Amino acid sequence: MGVDRTSKVASKIQIIGALSVIWLLAIVFMHFVRPIILPPVLNLGVEKDEVLIYGPWGNERRFTEEGQPNREELEKEEGEEDVWSYNDSCKFVLVESIPQDLPYISARSAAQPLIQSWMELLDSAQDSVHIASYYWSLTGPDIGVNDSSSQPGEELLGKLETLLARNVSLTIATSDPTLAVNSTDLEVLMGKGAQVRKVPMKHLTHGVLHSKFWIVDMKHVYLGSANMDWRSLTQVKELGVVIYNCSSLASDLEKTFQTYWVLGVPGATIPKHWPQNYSTNINWHHPLQETLDGMVTTAYFSASPPTFCPRGRTKDLEALLSVIRGAEDFLYASVMEYFPTSRFEHPIRYWPVIDNALREVAFNRHVLIHLLISCGKNSDPSMFPYLRSLQALTNPQTNITIEVKIFIIPVGNHSNIPYSRVSHSKYAVTEKKVYLGTSNWSEDYFTNTAGVGLVINQRSSDPQHPAPTIQDNLKSIFERDWQSPYAISLDKLPGQQDCAWHA
């Protein structure tokens, strides 16, 4: 009897021990496997008043009441840049669209045509195309216009339809509500098999999804100012970049696309803490580094609003401020709108974060600043006093220069096309870096609107025979526009019929 009882106790101990080992193994398995599985639906709440933003590697970063990153942290971390290297062969190519009837600029094009780049990307697609765009309007009937300049957009829509016939998947994230209320583009593509999600940004953040980027076969990327709008190809001046053969950056940008995709599910809410599989280790402090054809390149993506930035993702405002504050010789910027305020809140709020950064580098470091701001028939002329205030800081005796010009595209015989004939670019370039974004420079775009940015630095690995960097190429584009007859000084604005000055 005693032996049997002892035997039973020993068996029970063995069973309990085996179950404990299995339980521990299950915990370890779930810990390592769960982060790589994308959840189909995120329905985790977020506190609207929460100001705690998680920076790279879990470091907590707090923003000031004005939405500006803590300055002491920025200065402390500015010199702590590390890099990540992958076995890619990344190639960066600037792309632009030039409105019809702009002979001075057309004759001096310094980038690949946007429509050519888009068509080539679609022709090369073998597996998947992911597109994030504020709205869709690729045909003339979308806006009730019969104009031959809509043809490239209509051809682009046809090309997108053929993707699906070739068994290439097409996945689209767009903003809801949309500006293009009469467009049928998405319905046409959905009828062919495209997957579309409309992200309810007004409900989620009181903003819009303003991003404009493509990811093709998880290795090619387009990012820039152009929406999926035929006017972006023939009637609006746009600038962006195509990144070829760069799976590391494509996969990283895909994580931002997935934040949109998962929030497009009915009932989804912004998570208080994004799951680990949305995190990134490519950011401001740890950019990707590639060396190709004698050119050393570092790059990373940023995003807005802060609540759309999982762990490790650089906030878009941080990225822009780091480029401005890192300038030593010059800073050239081309932006459609510039307001040191909010734009879509009532009453509007004063928000001098970017404005102060520009004044600071001009005053303290004597950085030469040139701002090229667009103006068209639908522009808001209330921005001009802010620009005059910036320019008033100029003082040749103390070597302070902030010069502003207004870029006005002649309407000519294109007056039948609404919301066109403007420069829609959103970039900055210094002697060190390029910032290419999708946001205008005012508070709302960085605090509650979904956008993306890309910061690039290039240097030649052969000082004896240096090749032009992306900074050099973008600087040339800016200088071409700055010196063109379409760039008008502020004091010459009165009398410019194609600008909203007299609206």
Side-chain angles (χ1 to χ4, degrees):
M1 290 288 292
V3 174
D4 290 342
R5 187 174 297 171
T6 302
S7 171
K8 289 180 180 179
V9 170
S11 297
K12 287 181 178 180
I13 292 174
Q14 289 175 347
I15 292 170
I16 292 171
L19 290 174
S20 298
V21 171
I22 293 171
W23 178 69
L24 288 172
L25 288 173
I27 290 176
V28 171
F29 177 80
M30 290 301 295
H31 176 75
F32 286 102
V33 170
R34 188 170 64 97
I36 66 172
I37 303 174
L38 278 176
V41 179
L42 289 179
N43 195 25
L44 306 172
V46 63
E47 298 174 10
K48 288 186 177 180
D49 296 329
E50 186 181 29
V51 297
L52 186 62
I53 305 298
Y54 285 86
W57 313 113
N59 296 327
E60 295 179 357
R61 169 170 296 142
R62 292 189 180 273
F63 278 55
T64 65
E65 291 182 359
E66 295 80 12
Q68 180 177 3
N70 184 287
R71 180 59 194 278
E72 292 181 1
E73 292 186 7
L74 290 182
E75 290 179 341
K76 178 181 177 182
E77 296 170 350
E78 194 163 296
E80 299 179 359
E81 185 174 284
D82 197 0
V83 295
W84 293 92
S85 184
Y86 292 77
N87 293 321
D88 279 339
S89 54
C90 306
K91 182 180 180 182
F92 296 75
V93 177
L94 292 173
V95 296
E96 68 176 344
S97 62
I98 299 171
Q100 292 180 350
D101 302 324
L102 245 60
Y104 178 92
I105 293 180
S106 297
R108 296 165 176 80
S109 181
Q112 187 166 303
L114 176 62
I115 183 61
Q116 176 186 331
S117 300
W118 278 1
M119 289 296 198
E120 289 176 354
L121 283 174
L122 295 182
D123 284 336
S124 71
Q126 298 178 351
D127 181 56
S128 64
V129 175
H130 291 184
I131 298 177
S133 181
Y134 180 21
Y135 66 92
W136 285 66
S137 187
L138 288 175
T139 74
D142 284 344
I143 59 171
V145 169
N146 182 13
D147 192 281
S148 61
S149 63
S150 67
Q151 183 177 348
E154 289 151 5
E155 292 176 354
L156 179 64
L157 181 60
K159 181 77 72 172
L160 288 164
E161 292 182 62
T162 65
L163 284 181
L164 300 156
R166 294 195 284 118
N167 293 321
V168 176
S169 65
L170 176 60
T171 309
I172 296 166
T174 189
S175 191
D176 182 37
T178 178
L179 290 178
V181 293
N182 297 319
S183 174
T184 59
D185 298 351
L186 293 177
E187 285 72 17
V188 168
L189 294 173
M190 290 169 67
K192 299 289 186 178
Q195 298 182 70
V196 177
R197 285 189 184 173
K198 299 177 180 180
V199 184
M201 293 296 300
K202 186 176 181 180
H203 169 72
L204 292 170
T205 67
H206 305 289
V208 298
L209 193 155
H210 203 253
S211 301
K212 309 107 172 28
F213 64 80
W214 296 20
I215 305 167
V216 177
D217 292 341
M218 292 299 165
K219 64 179 180 179
H220 309 306
V221 166
Y222 160 79
L223 183 147
S225 61
N227 290 299
M228 299 303 292
D229 185 334
W230 64 267
R231 290 166 290 191
S232 295
L233 303 173
T234 57
Q235 296 295 339
V236 175
K237 190 172 183 298
E238 310 278 9
L239 190 129
V241 64
V242 174
I243 310 172
Y244 295 100
N245 300 311
C246 200
S247 58
S248 48
L249 287 180
S251 298
D252 192 55
L253 187 58
E254 174 65 16
K255 293 181 179 181
T256 293
F257 183 86
Q258 288 297 329
T259 64
Y260 305 158
W261 190 249
V262 76
L263 291 174
V265 173
T269 57
I270 304 171
K272 186 174 182 178
H273 303 293
W274 286 92
Q276 179 64 29
N277 43 286
Y278 291 88
S279 301
T280 180
N281 57 8
I282 301 175
N283 48 46
W284 172 20
H285 309 295
H286 306 83
L288 175 80
Q289 178 170 298
E290 295 288 344
T291 301
L292 182 67
D293 296 333
M295 192 71 69
V296 180
T297 302
T298 61
Y300 67 89
F301 290 111
S302 56
S304 64
T307 52
F308 279 31
C309 292
R311 184 179 180 182
R313 180 69 63 200
T314 298
K315 317 303 180 285
D316 205 19
L317 179 60
E318 289 183 8
L320 176 57
L321 292 177
S322 73
V323 171
I324 294 173
R325 289 177 173 149
E328 295 181 357
D329 298 329
F330 70 90
L331 183 140
Y332 298 160
S334 178
V335 187
M336 188 179 83
E337 284 190 349
Y338 180 93
F339 282 88
T341 66
S342 63
R343 288 286 285 136
F344 309 110
E345 293 182 3
H346 300 284
I348 64 171
R349 240 166 55 102
Y350 185 53
W351 186 80
V353 178
I354 298 173
D355 206 69
N356 286 344
L358 294 172
R359 294 172 187 269
E360 184 178 342
V361 297
F363 193 93
N364 291 346
R365 300 187 190 175
H366 307 295
V367 173
L368 170 67
I369 295 179
H370 283 173
L371 299 181
L372 192 57
I373 311 298
S374 179
C375 184
K377 291 288 189 180
N378 301 108
S379 298
D380 184 347
S382 65
M383 70 177 167
F384 297 132
Y386 300 118
L387 297 170
R388 291 183 186 279
S389 173
L390 260 180
Q391 188 164 268
L393 193 65
T394 296
N395 185 346
Q397 294 181 344
T398 56
N399 197 24
I400 298 173
T401 303
I402 302 179
E403 190 173 352
V404 181
K405 286 187 179 182
I406 308 301
F407 197 84
I408 304 172
I409 298 175
V411 173
N413 62 358
H414 304 284
S415 58
N416 62 316
I417 304 173
Y419 297 98
S420 64
R421 313 303 289 177
V422 292
S423 177
H424 197 232
S425 303
K426 303 151 197 323
Y427 69 81
V429 58
T430 74
E431 75 285 348
K432 294 180 179 179
K433 292 182 179 180
V434 161
Y435 168 86
L436 288 164
T438 66
S439 296
N440 293 308
W441 289 11
S442 63
E443 180 186 21
D444 313 74
Y445 287 96
F446 296 96
T447 57
N448 58 18
T449 290
V452 289
L454 171 64
V455 176
I456 313 168
N457 165 261
Q458 287 188 330
R459 58 183 174 82
S460 176
S461 60
D462 183 2
Q464 301 299 321
H465 303 90
T469 64
I470 195 166
Q471 300 98 275
D472 296 331
N473 294 333
L474 189 53
K475 178 174 179 280
S476 296
I477 289 174
F478 180 90
E479 290 174 337
R480 175 202 65 190
D481 295 345
W482 182 264
Q483 295 161 7
S484 75
Y486 317 113
I488 309 297
S489 62
L490 278 170
D491 58 2
K492 292 182 180 179
L493 266 179
Q496 299 296 327
Q497 63 178 2
D498 294 322
C499 176
W501 182 252
H502 292 292

